[in-house]
Amino acid sequence: MKKNILITGGAGFIGSHLVRLLVHKYPTYHIVNMDVLTYAGNLENLKEIEAKENYTFVKVDICDFETVKQTFITYKIDAVIHLAAESHVDRSIKDPFSFAQTNVMGTLSLLQAAKETWGSDFTNKLFYHVSTDEVYGSLGEDGLFTEDTAYDPHSPYAASKASSDHFVRAFHDTYQLPVVVSNCSNNYGSYQFPEKLIPLFINNIIHNKPLPVYGKGENVRDWLFVNDHARAIDVIFHKGKIGETYNIGGFNEWKNIDLINVIIKTVDRLLGREAGTSQKLITYITDRAGHDFRYAIDSSKLKEELGWEPSLQFEAGIEKTVAWYLENQEWLHNITSGDYRAYYDKMYGVD
Ligand code: NAD
Ligand code: TYD
């Protein structure tokens, strides 16, 4: 079946994996990638598919309602998979305004453009909103986030994503816009901007720079390989029920410090350094403000109803990921020069 799909944020980390997957897998779909190319958006991530006939890139800010609406009309958009966002918690603590602008107002602009251009006939239309488990807040030692867990966001990032989720559901309840929402746990893999824990630490180990561990390193995150998130989005997009929410996660919890030790071990081994060489780089620093203690996702609904499961064990995923960053040091170098260096100095006060 032919379809024109608008993917927002396709030049970012998860978006670029999703665009690559869908462009290859569905030659009859036309994938329109809308991205304004912030510091986190990089067209280098999409080199492999940029010349494909079923792919188009448009440089548009999702907050620019008139241009967004015109894009819906020009490309006869049938469905949206919305990933564009400001996505880094630490940046949201420094600059909450840009998070409200992009994540809330940008989502509203897309919803309104869909509603106005689709009219009242929603046959074969879908607005798929990609969200995060951080909207649920923080867990203690036990329990998992389910789709029924009450929202309790703590960081400005989480609050802006929670707000956008509410707008998406409000458009369903008020205007019957066909929507689906997924909330995923922490992703890791290739093409992630090295401000997030895993690529930042790999990059710092390569360059023998300190590894800034927040607090005691005891916070827990639930890690999923990014390609498995993209596969889950594909499944939910095609088989998910309108109006439903699906949690996505790998039942793969790691205390930060344990994960950091796995990264150190893997990088040292793949670089041919003696085991434990980079251990000395661990540097405990002041904790992140409002640092959520634990995230853990129950994704059994997605497994039972739509048959999705992660394809990769964490050990294999981490090995692949470290190997990718070591083989793509030019990619790392290109994006860690310039503006990023100023950001790093400001955040960590070291270089
Ligand atoms: P990212 O920061 O790597 O990429 C975001 C992309 O959005 C970039 O290409 C950027 O240029 C683009 N963008 C930002 N503002 C824009 C605007 N105003 N107009 C158009 N494009 C804009 O983010 P990511 O990690 O790939 O996350 C993608 C989505 O998945 C986000 O909505 C995020 O909340 C969600 N999510 C991320 C994770 C994770 O672990 N990274 C986990 C769960 C959910
Ligand atoms: P991050 O990758 O920023 O994802 P999120 O905050 O969205 O979960 O951080 C993952 C965990 O690693 C989180 O508990 C914060 C911690 N962390 C550090 O200890 N040091 C760092 O420099 C960064 C970026 C994160």
Side-chain angles (χ1 to χ4, degrees), residues 88 134 186 195 197 200 212 214 221 256 288 291 348:
H88 188 41
E134 304 194 24
N186 287 61
E195 62 185 353
L197 181 75
L200 173 70
Y214 297 157
R221 296 292 183 264
N256 287 343
R288 172 188 279 173
H291 196 175
Y348 296 104

Side-chain angles (χ1 to χ4, degrees), residues 254-280:
W254 284 82
K255 204 181 260 194
N256 287 343
I257 193 64
D258 296 338
L259 171 65
I260 289 161
N261 281 320
V262 171
I263 297 170
I264 291 173
K265 243 185 171 161
T266 313
V267 179
D268 277 348
R269 178 168 48 76
L270 293 183
L271 282 177
R273 292 181 186 166
E274 201 179 313
T277 307
S278 303
Q279 204 71 33
K280 60 178 183 299

Side-chain angles (χ1 to χ4, degrees), residues 9-15 34-42 60-63 82-87 102 130-133 157 161 184-187 192-193 195-196 229:
F13 167 47
I14 301 168
M34 176 182 284
D35 199 302
V36 77
L37 302 179
T38 66
Y39 76 94
N42 185 353
V60 173
D61 185 338
I62 57 165
C63 302
H82 173 37
L83 297 98
E86 288 294 339
S87 69
T102 295
V130 175
S131 193
T132 167
D133 61 355
Y157 164 64
K161 290 297 290 188
C184 188
S185 62
N186 287 61
N187 285 213
Q192 186 169 31
F193 195 85
E195 62 185 353
K196 307 275 169 65
H229 188 187

Side-chain angles (χ1 to χ4, degrees), residues 23-204:
V23 165
H24 281 308
K25 188 168 170 189
Y26 301 102
T28 61
Y29 291 177
H30 180 202
I31 305 295
V32 179
N33 172 16
M34 176 182 284
D35 199 302
V36 77
L37 302 179
T38 66
Y39 76 94
N42 185 353
L43 289 178
E44 251 191 74
N45 300 359
L46 292 164
K47 270 214 154 3
E48 190 191 318
I49 53 99
E50 70 187 3
K52 289 272 187 186
E53 271 184 19
N54 64 334
Y55 170 73
T56 303
F57 171 70
V58 290
K59 186 171 187 296
V60 173
D61 185 338
I62 57 165
C63 302
D64 175 357
F65 172 68
E66 290 305 330
T67 311
V68 168
K69 192 172 163 191
Q70 191 51 52
T71 309
F72 271 72
I73 295 165
T74 304
Y75 294 101
K76 299 188 172 56
I77 296 300
D78 302 302
V80 179
I81 309 180
H82 173 37
L83 297 98
E86 288 294 339
S87 69
H88 188 41
V89 172
D90 294 323
R91 287 186 191 252
S92 82
I93 294 169
K94 290 257 188 282
D95 174 22
F97 281 110
S98 61
F99 282 70
Q101 178 65 12
T102 295
N103 299 359
V104 185
M105 296 307 289
T107 301
L108 185 53
S109 152
L110 287 160
L111 287 164
Q112 186 68 12
K115 174 177 159 284
E116 288 189 14
T117 52
W118 291 346
S120 53
D121 180 11
F122 293 137
T123 317
N124 292 323
K125 301 286 193 281
L126 182 66
F127 191 106
Y128 181 160
H129 179 59
V130 175
S131 193
T132 167
D133 61 355
E134 304 194 24
V135 298
Y136 298 123
S138 181
L139 293 163
E141 296 287 348
D142 302 316
L144 299 172
F145 297 132
T146 72
E147 288 80 0
D148 297 323
T149 302
Y151 276 29
D152 182 22
H154 296 134
S155 70
Y157 164 64
S160 67
K161 290 297 290 188
S163 173
S164 67
D165 294 9
H166 291 320
F167 268 108
V168 172
R169 296 193 180 104
F171 267 64
H172 175 62
D173 296 345
T174 309
Y175 311 112
Q176 291 77 52
L177 194 79
V179 308
V180 71
V181 177
S182 60
N183 296 84
C184 188
S185 62
N186 287 61
N187 285 213
Y188 71 96
S190 53
Y191 298 107
Q192 186 169 31
F193 195 85
E195 62 185 353
K196 307 275 169 65
L197 181 75
I198 292 181
L200 173 70
F201 277 35
I202 294 172
N203 192 39
N204 284 12

